[in-house]
Amino acid sequence: MSSARTSLRRIGLGSALAAAAVLTAAGAASAHVTVHPDSYAKGATDGALTFRVPDESDTASTTKVQLFLPTDHPLLGVLVSPHDGWTAKVTDTKLTTPVKTDDGTITDAVSEITWTGGKIGPGQYEDFDVAFGQLPDDTAQLTFKTLQTYSDGKVVRWIEEAAQGDEEPENPAPVLKLTAAGTTSATASQTSAAASKASKASASDSTARGLGVAGLVVGVLGLAAGAFAVVRSRRTQ
């Protein structure tokens, strides 16, 4: 009996440790640099992106963040929001293919933003906000490769891109998906309309059933009252 209990305890402990290991691995895998929101409409104007940088080290702090913006499909009118304790350095690059807009032809765009001077402690994160004047409309997604430097000199390169259908790489780069303008809202409207019709049909059906049941109840009560009256009349006679 004692041996059986010991075996069960060992099995339970092993299962608990295995579950904890899985949860820890899942947490570590999800703690990478990300962009929020993760999707925007193609050609969107006057918006903002937030880049979330978590510190994954147990002992070192993050002291430098380098964000690389795509220049083959550039963001136009980039502005950096001030961040307490951090200094942002913005680097412009001459575009290989100038972008034509209603306000003229754009030949330069921001290619890199580097934040220094601040600190992200172990187990903490920081959000870095970047505003844009216009997103490109000729691509399905934008990749923002990022370098994260720690106080102990370690540099984590968030630059890996997963091919379609592949699993997420170990150090994925933040990716912003660009969707067709109006597709989401149109689909939502159609879904809402369908749901409304279904709701109305269901309500109508429920009402009809309710009236039918009510009619049956009234009929049964009427028959019962009639039968009671007949019985009472016979007793009186």
Side-chain angles (χ1 to χ4, degrees):
M1 190 69 176
S2 177
S3 177
R5 287 181 179 177
T6 301
S7 299
L8 288 173
R9 286 178 180 176
R10 288 177 179 175
I11 293 172
L13 179 58
S15 301
L17 291 175
V22 171
L23 292 174
T24 300
S30 63
H32 49 253
V33 178
T34 53
V35 58
H36 305 271
D38 59 4
S39 66
Y40 243 112
K42 292 182 178 180
T45 58
D46 300 326
L49 299 173
T50 296
F51 294 89
R52 177 160 295 177
V53 182
D55 188 290
E56 295 182 311
S57 174
D58 294 330
T59 57
S61 299
T62 299
T63 57
K64 182 179 180 180
V65 177
Q66 294 171 268
L67 176 70
F68 297 91
L69 284 68
T71 54
D72 52 346
H73 302 286
L75 282 71
L76 306 181
V78 171
L79 296 173
V80 181
S81 175
H83 202 69
D84 290 343
W86 294 85
T87 299
K89 178 184 177 182
V90 179
T91 302
D92 290 345
T93 296
K94 183 75 87 176
L95 297 175
T96 303
T97 304
V99 180
K100 294 182 179 181
T101 69
D102 295 337
D103 298 324
T105 301
I106 307 297
T107 59
D108 298 85
V110 174
S111 60
E112 180 184 344
I113 304 173
T114 301
W115 287 274
T116 56
K119 182 176 69 173
I120 307 173
Q124 300 178 345
Y125 73 89
E126 289 277 2
D127 285 341
F128 298 91
D129 299 326
V130 176
F132 62 81
Q134 183 175 345
L135 293 178
D137 58 4
D138 57 352
T139 185
Q141 66 179 35
L142 297 173
T143 301
F144 300 89
K145 296 183 178 182
T146 307
L147 301 184
Q148 181 179 9
T149 302
Y150 285 87
S151 56
D152 58 4
K154 179 182 178 181
V155 178
V156 180
R157 303 168 63 84
W158 303 101
I159 62 174
E160 297 177 1
E161 301 180 56
Q164 187 173 6
D166 290 349
E167 294 182 358
E168 185 178 71
E170 184 178 354
N171 295 315
V175 174
L176 176 70
K177 298 184 183 302
L178 298 181
T179 61
T183 300
T184 302
S185 59
T187 302
S189 297
Q190 293 172 0
T191 302
S192 177
S196 178
K197 289 181 180 179
S199 177
K200 289 180 179 179
S202 177
S204 177
D205 184 57
S206 297
T207 301
R209 289 180 180 178
L211 290 175
V213 171
L216 289 174
V217 171
V218 171
V220 171
L221 291 176
L223 289 175
F228 178 76
V230 171
V231 172
R232 186 177 181 181
S233 174
R234 288 179 178 177
R235 287 180 178 178
T236 302
Q237 293 175 357

